Amino acid sequence: MAERDDIVNSMASLAMFADLSRPQLEAASHTFEEEWFTDGQRILRQGFSGSNFYVILDGEAAVRINGETRAVLTRGDFFGEVSVLLGEPPTADVVALRPLRCIVLSGPDTESFLVSYPRVMYRMLQAQARRLRNANLWRG
Amino acid sequence: MERPFPPGHYPVVVVGSGPGGLQLSYVLRRLGVEHAVLSEDSGPGGMFLRYPLFQRLNTWSKPHAPAERGTRPYDWYDWNSLVGDVAEHRSTVSELMDGVSYFPARIEMCRGLSTFAARANIQVRYGCRWEGTRREDSGFTLRTSDGEYQCRLAVFAVGMAQPWRPPIPGLEDAPHYVETKPAREYAGKRVFIIGKRNSGFEIADALLPWARRIFLASPRPPVISILHSGGGVKAKYLVPLEDHVMGGGVAILDASIERVRREGALWRVFTSGPMLGPMQFEVDEVIVATGFTSPLGDLPTLGVATFNHGRLPRLTHYWESATMPGIYFAGTITQAAPGLRKHGSAGNSVAVGGFRHNARVLAHYLAHEHFGIDTPAVTLRREDLVPYLLSEVTRAPELWNQQAYLARVVRVDRSQGVFDDGIQPLAAFVDTAGPDAVAVSVEVDAKGEIHPGVYVRRDGQTSEHVLAGDPLLNFERDRHRAELENVLKGLVGGG
């Protein structure tokens, strides 16, 4: 029954939230909604406005551009942030590969969340830096 | 009088006689889908037989509105009446209101629902409690207080009015929202309300003339309807927030509740949180306003997966259990399917205004999918397509009540013509392959402004186009016509 505690525990074990104290984590957990997706369901839709920010708690999702799979996301990964930060539609679909459990923050609420939790923002920035480095390594 | 639907075999069994069950049965019957409706209550109304506690709803029914009462566009101005197909079955809530408020009294709501049920002659087996469920080769068996019902499909419209408490030490001893006493019994008392959604604010509002101090606390800052496109705490209940801002004795706190302890005649509430750090509150009364859960009975053990503390089933876009085919849901439980969640908004399936339309869509879907009963698609003239779609986004109640959630879908066949495919869940349209078609919805952007949304499916690919807004919400202007014609260019063949 204690799924909210379960969400707090799941969040606590993710790198993104690793710097938050327990009370901060609890408060942060209430800012997100829990959402489930069945396999094959689209979560982010390429070219559609109004997407949100998602963090994966369980499951797997594919990042697809024009139907071609470019990456697979798993527990602890997040997506939708580029679209939310830039206010532009996502350039890829994100599709659940099996039952996918996420926490979601609405696009309009994401800025105030990140500003309220700068340590989460810093961790996100690190993850983004890693993605950028890997992309550059690829090209090189 | 003989009670309808004795135990036996039925193609569909609907459980519940609140607005969700009544609306579904109404449309199923008109479509010719044989079904039984069972309810443990003694009459129609569902949760409105008891709630809201302080006897008035927070959703409007406007006796005088921009659209004529009894017409389809009027349904947008009357969120609480069920949707009928003939004038006599429409607007039964607003018709009976006394004019004191445009939020109906609970009793007016009940009268409106029972009037709808009586005029439409909706049959329900009342006093029949669903007690258990078994899966069979050909469907399900529902065990009830009257005997067993076999069915291919079961639809649960059992509401979400069972008190729910988060697992916080001591909370199990504190009175829940449903146990709140008459307001005058809180005269001169310090009251601690746990929860900052509508039910918490509803109580705070009612106690303003009586309580000495009111604390409203939960971890998340309040989400306010007027700042979040209609979601969250309704303006009707915002007086406690104004009192808090002005320092009148109401305190609205963002804090986690650690535990609650009874100390003789008093209560002690322990909180923590980044805002205030650890705190203790000594109060005379505690009220747990942490919401409700749906009474799903043994469905989870049967294989119906749930989420959100087991309070809601995981659903498909057409409100079928994601893990147990053949089990559907109607009524407020359909909020478990959030749709596209554009800009965070998940439609309005939580309220009658929204889920009444879901129930109509579900009835058509069940008839088509499981019984081969189709409503013939209306053919449109090609030159009428653009004006028709703009008329829909300007006044269709389904699109206004269920923003970015339900859509009007028109199929375009270059050789056969243009066909109205009715109202469908927008998520199902954009995520399902199909023939060339266009879907329109009404939706709110990141700034809270309302726009028409247009989704064009062409050669299997679906694109999104958000049209310009309008200060008077009239989307039938020349600029909208030109914009939509441009979006649909090449989709419609011929002239």
Side-chain angles (χ1 to χ4, degrees):
Chain A
M1 274 305 286
E3 275 184 47
R4 176 59 61 180
D5 278 349
D6 180 31
I7 288 177
V8 174
N9 291 337
S10 292
M11 288 171 71
S13 67
L14 304 182
M16 190 173 167
F17 302 108
D19 304 325
L20 300 189
S21 66
R22 188 79 190 181
Q24 281 179 318
L25 259 179
E26 278 196 16
S29 81
H30 281 83
T31 313
F32 287 87
E33 304 273 346
E34 181 190 5
E35 210 173 331
W36 274 94
F37 302 92
T38 49
D39 42 335
Q41 207 173 331
R42 276 206 290 180
I43 304 126
L44 237 54
R45 294 170 180 87
Q46 187 177 345
F48 282 31
S49 62
S51 57
N52 306 299
F53 173 54
Y54 295 84
V55 183
I56 299 179
L57 295 185
D58 283 304
E60 259 180 3
V63 181
R64 288 189 187 144
I65 300 180
N66 300 325
E68 189 190 320
T69 299
R70 299 293 186 93
V72 173
L73 306 176
T74 58
R75 180 182 154 72
D77 288 333
F78 53 87
F79 57 91
E81 79 290 352
V82 175
S83 167
V84 167
L85 290 172
L86 300 179
E88 291 172 3
T91 52
D93 279 339
V94 173
V95 183
L97 292 176
R98 51 192 177 90
L100 183 74
R101 184 184 181 214
C102 292
I103 47 175
V104 52
L105 190 59
S106 80
D109 288 340
T110 302
E111 182 181 336
S112 61
F113 173 78
L114 291 176
V115 171
S116 309
Y117 296 92
R119 292 303 305 179
V120 176
M121 184 149 56
Y122 182 75
R123 291 277 187 164
M124 265 180 75
L125 203 58
Q126 280 185 318
Q128 295 288 25
R130 247 175 252 125
R131 285 182 193 176
L132 199 62
R133 181 198 59 191
N134 291 346
N136 287 338
L137 281 177
W138 251 52
R139 280 197 196 115
Chain B
M1 204 177 77
E2 202 177 311
R3 292 162 76 212
F5 310 129
H9 291 262
Y10 297 87
V12 182
V13 171
V14 178
V15 181
S17 57
L22 297 177
Q23 182 73 72
L24 181 70
S25 174
Y26 178 82
V27 184
L28 283 178
R29 194 147 58 94
R30 295 179 81 84
L31 290 170
V33 177
E34 196 192 336
H35 65 282
V37 186
L38 315 177
S39 170
E40 67 174 329
D41 293 336
S42 56
M47 70 158 263
F48 297 103
L49 295 171
R50 284 169 289 164
Y51 311 119
L53 212 54
F54 292 97
Q55 304 299 311
R56 201 167 279 283
L57 278 63
N58 60 21
T59 45
W60 70 44
S61 281
K62 304 181 179 195
H64 304 279
E68 206 57 44
R69 192 152 78 191
T71 64
R72 176 173 167 244
Y74 176 77
D75 290 339
W76 162 247
Y77 301 100
D78 178 5
W79 285 28
N80 303 298
S81 295
L82 295 179
V83 177
D85 294 324
V86 295
E88 194 199 1
H89 301 158
R90 289 184 173 278
S91 325
T92 56
V93 173
S94 56
E95 179 189 321
L96 301 165
M97 284 166 64
D98 63 8
V100 166
S101 165
Y102 84 165
F103 298 119
R106 186 190 65 78
I107 197 74
E108 290 172 331
M109 180 65 177
C110 280
R111 226 180 278 141
L113 291 173
S114 54
T115 300
F116 175 88
R119 285 185 190 164
N121 193 25
I122 292 173
Q123 301 290 306
V124 179
R125 186 176 186 84
Y126 290 110
C128 176
R129 192 174 58 251
W130 160 56
E131 293 175 339
T133 320
R134 254 194 343 263
R135 203 176 168 188
E136 313 283 0
D137 289 341
S138 56
F140 303 92
T141 294
L142 270 53
R143 198 161 36 78
T144 75
S145 50
D146 285 354
E148 294 200 333
Y149 290 78
Q150 285 82 34
C151 57
R152 271 174 67 188
L153 309 174
V155 187
F156 294 91
V158 291
M160 204 176 172
Q162 192 166 290
W164 181 80
R165 293 171 165 88
I168 293 171
L171 216 59
E172 62 278 8
D173 301 325
H176 189 272
Y177 166 91
V178 302
E179 297 159 300
T180 306
K181 297 172 278 191
R184 64 179 65 247
E185 294 190 26
Y186 296 88
K189 292 187 171 174
R190 298 162 298 173
V191 183
F192 197 102
I193 300 169
I194 299 172
K196 296 206 295 281
R197 295 186 188 238
N198 276 303
S199 59
F201 271 89
E202 183 200 357
I203 294 173
D205 181 61
L207 298 191
L208 281 174
W210 300 101
R212 180 149 63 93
R213 289 222 66 179
I214 298 172
F215 303 97
L216 272 156
S218 65
R220 187 182 180 168
V223 175
I224 308 296
S225 158
I226 48 177
L227 302 177
H228 285 80
S229 315
V233 181
K234 297 285 186 186
K236 179 178 192 300
Y237 299 138
L238 287 188
V239 183
L241 180 60
E242 185 184 71
D243 183 289
H244 161 74
V245 169
M246 293 169 67
V250 173
I252 296 179
L253 308 170
D254 300 338
S256 292
I257 312 302
E258 294 295 323
R259 62 200 159 97
V260 174
R261 195 166 68 208
R262 180 114 226 193
E263 291 181 353
L266 303 176
W267 294 85
R268 189 169 297 277
V269 183
F270 299 81
T271 69
S272 68
M275 194 195 238
L276 300 165
M279 295 270 290
Q280 290 184 28
F281 296 83
E282 186 190 83
V283 292
D284 303 295
E285 301 276 356
V286 170
I287 302 172
V288 181
T290 49
F292 299 88
T293 184
S294 42
L296 297 178
D298 62 354
L299 295 180
T301 53
L302 200 70
V304 172
T306 61
F307 71 111
N308 193 6
H309 309 263
R311 292 158 82 187
L312 287 167
R314 287 164 49 193
L315 299 184
T316 67
H317 298 318
Y318 277 100
W319 311 291
E320 187 176 17
S321 162
T323 52
M324 180 59 58
I327 300 272
Y328 287 85
F329 294 87
T332 191
I333 296 180
T334 56
Q335 66 186 274
L340 268 65
R341 218 187 244 286
K342 289 187 86 173
H343 304 285
S345 164
N348 187 31
S349 304
V350 66
V352 178
F355 71 63
R356 59 187 177 163
H357 300 301
N358 296 358
R360 293 181 64 88
V361 172
L362 176 61
H364 284 271
Y365 179 79
L366 295 179
H368 167 80
E369 281 292 306
H370 297 283
F371 301 99
I373 299 170
D374 285 313
T375 314
V378 176
T379 308
L380 294 171
R381 295 188 310 173
R382 289 171 201 276
E383 60 270 32
D384 290 341
L385 175 61
V386 167
Y388 176 63
L389 294 177
L390 293 178
S391 167
E392 283 293 284
V393 292
T394 301
R395 58 183 66 82
E398 299 90 342
L399 309 191
W400 278 84
N401 274 132
Q402 286 290 39
Q403 296 180 10
Y405 191 84
L406 293 180
R408 167 66 63 181
V409 177
V410 175
R411 182 165 31 100
V412 180
D413 187 310
R414 281 189 185 83
S415 54
Q416 305 277 313
V418 181
F419 303 96
D420 186 347
D421 272 352
I423 301 288
Q424 300 177 15
L426 179 58
F429 177 82
V430 300
D431 289 346
T432 310
D436 286 1
V438 54
V440 290
S441 70
V442 173
E443 46 197 56
V444 173
D445 68 10
K447 286 186 236 136
E449 287 167 12
I450 300 175
H451 295 261
V454 182
Y455 300 81
V456 180
R457 188 165 63 206
R458 209 184 301 229
D459 303 325
Q461 297 291 319
T462 305
S463 57
E464 177 223 51
H465 311 267
V466 178
L467 303 189
D470 181 81
L472 291 177
L473 304 172
N474 172 7
F475 307 129
E476 293 180 298
R477 299 190 194 277
D478 289 344
R479 59 186 301 201
H480 298 105
R481 201 162 295 127
E483 241 185 307
L484 185 54
E485 277 169 2
N486 190 40
V487 165
L488 299 181
K489 204 183 279 170
L491 186 71
V492 188

